[in-house]
Amino acid sequence: MNFPVIALRGLTILPGMVVHFDASRKKSIDAAQKAMMSDQKVFVTMQKDSEIEDPYAKDLCIYGTLVRVKQLIKMQGNIIRIMVEGLERCRLNGIIERDPYLVGDIEFLPRKSVSEEIEYCRQEAMVRILKEDLDKYSAEVSNNKQAIAHMMTMKKLDELLNQIGIIIPFDPESKQRMLDAPNYEDLYLIAEELLRREAAINEIKKEFQKKVKERIDKSQKEYVLREQMKVIREELGEDSSNTQDADEYEKQANALNAPDSVKEVLLKEIKRFKAIPNGSQEGTVSRNYIETLLELPWNNCTQDNNDTIHAMNVLNEDHYGLEKVKERVVEYLAVRTLVHKGDTPIICLAGPPGTGKTSIAKSVARALGKKYHRISLGGVRDEAEIRGHRRTYLGAMPGCFAKALKEVGTSNPLILLDEIDKTSSDYKGDVASALLEVLDSEQNNQFKDHYIEVPLDLSKVLFIATANDKSMIPRPLLDRMEVIDVTSYTENEKFHIAKDHLIPKQLERNGLTADQLSFTTKGLQKIIHNYTREAGVRTLERQIAKICRKVVREILEQGRGKVKITETSVEKYLGMEKITYNKANTEDQVGIVRGLAWTSVGGDTLEIEVNVMPGSGNLQLTGQMGDVMKESAQLALTYVRSVASEYGIDKKFFEENDIHLHIPEGAVPKDGPSAGITMTTAILSAVTKQKVYADLAMTGEVTLRGRVLPIGGLKEKLLAAKMADIHRVLVPDENRSDVSEISTEITKGLDIVYVKNMSEVLGQALL
Ligand code: ADP
């Protein structure tokens, strides 16, 4: 049959497709218009070479499609948009006419029906394979999903193949191959190959896109960051090149007053730094290291003032009392000057808080003309805080000693190791052993800080340590130190410290003059006695500061000229009295004995109570006692049992009765052996029902056979006894020498009785 022919460029239309294409060639437009006027049918086929303007039969693909022209739309510039619907696969047997448009001899060539051509199972297999391929394809491609989902529901092979040709955007040549396929088997093979190829291409495409995107993202991010850094540097007025900085460092390194070995390391690092690209992480690490080394004092020292008389004057100027401590410190300094080396052991000032330990160390620094730096060791657990981190760690820092030297800028400062008893060890290493290296004069001229790497010389540093409780200092450290005890202050000492030091200091701090605010003796004594209860003078200083602040406000708000703090006006500034003291009992009682205790914050009295009740010989202990104290209680009971017969107690007594021993203020933990004689006396009194003197207190360790052993912290204990209005105190005989060292201010009014054994104790205590 003859039909008008339109030659398509770069387009294959398959049966079933509804597409539009634009025609500009006159012959194509005429053919379409002719068809529109008759039965609307046109044969379309692809040109083999789309460059050819006026194709002949040989230039056209033989297989094409008979289409129905559905619409012609006139576009701009002689172009017609033709909308067609593919009808049937046909073959072009030849061109019959060429003018005014092509007319071809067209033969209908439908394929054999699929059921005739391929048996059912094979068909089914092909459908399944095609669907699998489609599935893979749709995973790689994001468009056409709906159409593909629809295809997945098709059951017939021919339908599926036709749809694949229509929906999947194969290139025109591929579609032409599908059109050329003489039967469904061939069509299937082509379709499958095309599908797979398409899926593979899309996969590769995606991979490429991803790689390219990553690359772009990374380089873009770096670019943006670098640009930002540049702007920041410009804002800060910094040069962005390492070379210039490196040159500057090099100059500084050459001028540095340091051992050659240090300079060598430094110059090497600077050279490395020069080569590192600007702005990199490594550059920052290197820069920090160089700057740290440059800032360390190395050979820079200050001149010491070795005049011990001057030192004593300074200490006296800054501190009231503390004669023994000052003397020991000055002796220590004298020896140190004579020996010329830090071979003398390190001083450790041990005593309760607020007794002036830190402030003595500061005075020593002032006396010697040394720079002062305080390192707080309380709670330090990580060895790295002492020795620093290796530079490979992110955010690595030097240890506290290197930092201290850097800060003071001289290599012979006074470094205060505050609270050396509060360090602890954990899995991160041993703080004490690192400190040991610092304090050991044999090793500390080569102290290794992990960050600094070059050995640091700490031998010129004067170390002074402080501790609240010397028994908590790790043994090896304690061995290297000379402990000087700083003890509690008496009320009289506190009075003088306040008058001579604390009040002037606080007046100055608050911008007051001695004229504006003054304290009467009674007023100050009341503050000390009724508003503070402490070994040192910290709370006292705080209370004085509080009064100063209130007075400053009064002066400003009410225009007051002069304020005097008297016994009566104290309450106005500090509120109601805060402190009540454990006073001696007024009545002599059975089973209650007063002991004396020492704690790291001062002394106190504690009452021990014992009750006896019918039972089966158990000993019950309450009041948060530590292990040592519990053992002491056992010991006391054993002793009492061993002497029971002397006091006329029946042998069976201890089998038929329970004994309960309690120490009040049950929430406060207590420990130590020094309540031994007190517990023994209390048990014996309870058992024999003999009364104990109410105005008596005692302290001493007891042995199994009743010997009384010496105890520590006597000054604090006697002070506490005095505060509690106790008149008679039993003290171990071996503590005689300690008592002689205690000022008469404390011992005055106290009847101190020395005891050697329990029978002496009981003789004194029981009525
Ligand atoms: P510590 O280090 O023993 O805990 P501080 O040295 O911090 O105590 O002392 C607390 C305050 O008490 C400081 O202001 C200090 O000057 C002052 N102080 C302590 N003892 C005396 C003293 N004997 N003479 C003068 N001031 C003292």
Side-chain angles (χ1 to χ4, degrees), residues 320 489 493-503 537:
Y320 172 85
Y489 292 124
E493 282 171 327
K494 287 184 191 172
F495 175 80
H496 286 288
I497 293 171
K499 202 157 132 275
D500 300 345
H501 298 276
L502 304 181
I503 294 175
V537 289

Side-chain angles (χ1 to χ4, degrees), residues 56 153 174 204 242 256 298 338 394 417 466 523 557 563 568 588 666 673 684 698 767:
Y56 286 81
T153 62
S174 303
I204 295 166
N242 275 351
L256 197 66
W298 304 114
L338 217 62
L394 201 64
L417 305 170
T466 78
E557 288 176 3
V563 178
T568 40
D588 305 330
L684 198 91
M698 58 179 77
L767 245 65

Side-chain angles (χ1 to χ4, degrees), residues 315 317-322 326 351-361 416 418-419 466 468 486 489 493 496-498 500-502 505-506 509 536-538 541:
L315 287 177
E317 230 169 74
D318 291 351
H319 296 93
Y320 172 85
L322 296 173
K326 288 177 193 166
T355 46
K357 300 181 296 297
T358 318
S359 107
I360 286 179
L416 179 75
D418 212 6
E419 305 197 313
T466 78
N468 286 143
V486 184
Y489 292 124
E493 282 171 327
H496 286 288
I497 293 171
D500 300 345
H501 298 276
L502 304 181
K505 197 158 84 184
Q506 287 304 326
R509 264 193 207 162
V537 289
R538 274 214 194 132
E541 193 171 12

